[in-house]
Coordinates of all heavy atoms in Angstrom, one line a residue:
R54 N -58.1 21.7 20.9 CA -58.6 22.1 22.4 C -59.6 23.3 22.4 O -60.3 23.4 23.3 CB -57.2 22.4 23.2 CG -56.5 21.3 23.5 CD -55.4 21.5 24.5 NE -54.6 20.4 24.9 CZ -55.0 19.4 25.7 NH1 -56.2 19.5 26.4 NH2 -54.2 18.4 26.0
E55 N -59.3 24.3 21.5 CA -60.2 25.5 21.4 C -61.7 25.1 21.0 O -62.7 25.8 21.4 CB -59.7 26.5 20.4 CG -58.4 27.1 20.8 CD -57.8 28.1 19.8 OE1 -58.3 28.1 18.6 OE2 -56.7 28.7 20.0
E56 N -61.7 24.0 20.3 CA -63.2 23.6 19.8 C -63.9 23.0 21.1 O -63.4 22.1 21.7 CB -63.0 22.7 18.7 CG -64.4 22.1 18.2 CD -64.2 21.1 17.1 OE1 -63.6 21.4 16.0 OE2 -64.7 19.9 17.4
T57 N -65.1 23.4 21.2 CA -65.9 22.8 22.2 C -66.5 21.5 21.8 O -67.1 21.4 20.7 CB -67.1 23.8 22.6 OG1 -66.7 25.0 23.0 CG2 -68.0 23.2 23.8
P58 N -66.3 20.4 22.7 CA -66.6 19.1 22.0 C -68.1 18.9 21.9 O -68.8 19.4 22.9 CB -66.0 18.1 23.0 CG -64.9 18.9 23.7 CD -65.3 20.3 23.7
V59 N -68.5 18.3 20.8 CA -70.0 18.1 20.7 C -70.3 16.7 21.3 O -69.7 15.7 20.8 CB -70.4 18.2 19.2 CG1 -72.0 17.9 19.1 CG2 -70.1 19.6 18.7
V60 N -71.2 16.7 22.2 CA -71.6 15.3 22.9 C -73.0 15.2 22.8 O -73.8 16.1 22.8 CB -70.9 15.2 24.3 CG1 -69.4 15.4 24.2 CG2 -71.6 16.3 25.0
V61 N -73.5 13.8 23.0 CA -74.8 13.6 23.2 C -75.0 12.7 24.4 O -74.1 12.1 24.9 CB -75.4 12.7 21.9 CG1 -75.3 13.6 20.8 CG2 -74.7 11.4 21.9
V62 N -76.3 12.9 24.9 CA -76.6 12.2 26.2 C -77.5 11.1 25.9 O -78.6 11.4 25.3 CB -77.2 13.1 27.2 CG1 -77.6 12.4 28.5 CG2 -76.2 14.3 27.6
L63 N -77.3 9.8 26.3 CA -78.1 8.7 26.1 C -78.7 8.4 27.5 O -78.1 8.1 28.5 CB -77.3 7.5 25.7 CG -76.4 7.7 24.5 CD1 -75.5 6.5 24.1 CD2 -77.2 8.1 23.2
G64 N -80.1 8.3 27.4 CA -80.8 8.1 28.7 C -80.8 9.5 29.6 O -80.8 10.5 29.1
G65 N -81.0 9.2 30.8 CA -80.9 10.4 31.8 C -82.2 11.0 32.0 O -82.4 12.1 32.6
E66 N -83.3 10.4 31.5 CA -84.6 10.9 31.7 C -85.0 11.1 33.0 O -85.7 12.0 33.5 CB -85.8 10.0 30.9 CG -85.7 10.1 29.4 CD -84.6 9.2 28.8 OE1 -84.0 8.5 29.7 OE2 -84.3 9.1 27.7

Side-chain angles (χ1 to χ4, degrees):
R54 288 190 179 278
E55 290 174 359
E56 179 185 302
T57 302
V59 177
V60 300
V61 297
V62 179
L63 308 176
E66 291 81 4

